[in-house]
């Protein structure tokens, strides 16, 4: 079953604008990760934030995590047409028997127009 | 290219036939996961291997599904007596020993059951 919701389901912006995607989840987590998927292809890992972290940066990406609200956001600054893809948040469960398996949201489809 | 390969990339089969997919992990990755992704959804966990041991199976993995990882290297996922509902993208992901949670996904095998 899906862990939670992603918002918005689809986002359309112009090149150079910022894109913000939100993710909510339901259970306790060890970490939250964001992945990107180009149409019909596998997923590429973007960034990981641990449950004891509040914000993390990687290049044009900024991720925040609010464990009290069970939510996260991914900000892509100065977007490019090549950023067009589906973006998924995924949570890694807390507890020793989670084995690191990921529970994914439904994803946000981002379209960046040149 | 993450270094994880899957074969075949596409498979079309008739209902009732058996199919087998293969995943070759990054060589030092002892953790291997199978996920299934249907159109418009995020991936859903199917099963997990640590070395050659299958440690967890999702309830999604009916008795028509079987997975193996002989010698802790490549893995196979077999679906017997395929049904139209099995049509999906089957993704393999691998990871290093526990402590580093990033998973590296293969390109996936897209299955269409007619």
């Amino acid at each position: 079953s899906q862990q939670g919701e992603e918002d918005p389901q689809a986002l359309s912006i112009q090149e150079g604008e910022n894109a913000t995607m939100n993710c909510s989840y339901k259970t306790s987590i060890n970490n939250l990760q964001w992945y990107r998927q180009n149409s019909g292809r596998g997923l590429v890992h973007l960034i990981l934030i641990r449950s004891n972290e509040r914000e993390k940066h990687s290049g044009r990406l900024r991720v925040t995590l609010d464990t009290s609200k069970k939510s996260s956001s991914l900000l892509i600054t100065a977007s490019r047409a090549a950023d067009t893809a589906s973006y998924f948040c995924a949570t890694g469960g807390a507890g020793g028997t989670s084995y690191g398996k990921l529970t994914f949201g439904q994803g946000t489809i981002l379209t960046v127009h040149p | 290219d993450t270094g994880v390969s899957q074969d075949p990339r596409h498979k079309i089969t008739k209902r009732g036939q058996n199919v087998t997919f293969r995943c070759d992990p990054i060589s030092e990755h002892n953790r291997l996961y199978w996920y299934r992704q249907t159109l418009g959804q995020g991936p859903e966990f199917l099963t997990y291997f640590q070395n050659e041991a299958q440690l967890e199976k999702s309830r999604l993995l009916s008795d028509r599904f079987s997975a193996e990882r002989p010698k802790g290297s490549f893995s196979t996922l077999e679906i017997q007596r395929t049904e139209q509902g099995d049509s999906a993208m089957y993704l393999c992901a691998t990871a290093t020993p526990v402590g580093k949670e990033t998973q590296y996904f293969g390109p996936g095998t897209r299955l269409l059951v007619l």
Side-chain angles (χ1 to χ4, degrees):
Chain A
S1 63
Q2 302 292 312
Q3 165 70 293
E5 299 293 323
E6 290 193 52
D7 172 60
Q9 290 187 334
L11 180 60
S12 181
I13 60 175
Q14 295 295 127
E15 215 168 21
E17 295 180 338
N18 295 343
T20 300
M21 290 161 265
N22 302 296
C23 166
S24 62
Y25 58 91
K26 299 174 182 174
T27 61
S28 297
I29 63 171
N30 176 274
N31 63 81
L32 186 143
Q33 306 180 37
W34 287 87
Y35 287 81
R36 163 193 166 132
Q37 184 177 38
N38 287 80
S39 180
R41 299 199 172 187
L43 283 79
V44 175
H45 180 261
L46 295 176
I47 194 166
L48 178 152
I49 186 165
R50 299 187 188 284
S51 58
N52 61 354
E53 297 175 312
R54 291 297 167 258
E55 186 171 316
K56 205 160 183 181
H57 296 255
S58 177
R60 295 184 296 113
L61 305 180
R62 172 179 168 253
V63 170
T64 62
L65 179 64
D66 186 336
T67 53
S68 66
K69 295 181 179 179
K70 291 187 167 58
S71 66
S72 173
S73 67
L74 171 68
L75 169 67
I76 304 174
T77 59
S79 63
R80 306 166 181 167
D83 294 329
T84 295
S86 293
Y87 292 81
F88 294 92
C89 70
T91 53
T97 58
S98 69
Y99 299 122
K101 70 183 178 190
L102 296 175
T103 305
F104 286 83
Q106 293 179 317
T108 293
I109 300 172
L110 173 65
T111 303
V112 182
H113 299 281
Chain B
D1 183 0
T2 63
V4 179
S5 61
Q6 291 187 246
D7 184 70
R9 295 289 307 276
H10 303 274
K11 179 71 177 178
I12 300 174
T13 191
K14 294 182 179 178
R15 190 175 52 186
Q17 298 293 305
N18 298 345
V19 294
T20 300
F21 310 140
R22 177 179 169 125
C23 170
D24 284 274
I26 297 170
S27 60
E28 64 268 25
H29 287 191
N30 69 334
R31 292 189 288 148
L32 188 147
Y33 304 82
W34 284 97
Y35 294 86
R36 180 171 71 185
Q37 184 180 24
T38 54
L39 203 61
Q41 300 294 315
E44 293 182 291
F45 169 77
L46 291 179
T47 190
Y48 165 67
F49 288 87
Q50 185 167 305
N51 299 311
E52 66 276 9
Q54 187 175 21
L55 297 185
E56 187 172 357
K57 293 194 293 186
S58 163
R59 287 172 295 177
L60 292 174
L61 216 64
S62 76
D63 56 7
R64 295 186 297 106
F65 288 70
S66 62
E68 295 182 340
R69 194 183 181 195
K71 303 179 183 177
S73 56
F74 70 92
S75 176
T76 58
L77 177 68
E78 181 183 15
I79 309 174
Q80 296 182 327
R81 306 181 303 281
T82 52
E83 301 173 356
Q84 288 184 325
D86 297 331
S87 295
M89 173 83 90
Y90 290 85
L91 294 160
C92 172
T94 70
T96 58
V98 175
K100 296 185 179 181
E101 296 90 345
T102 300
Q103 294 186 18
Y104 296 83
F105 281 79
T109 294
R110 185 171 293 282
L111 173 67
L112 177 61
V113 182
L114 300 176

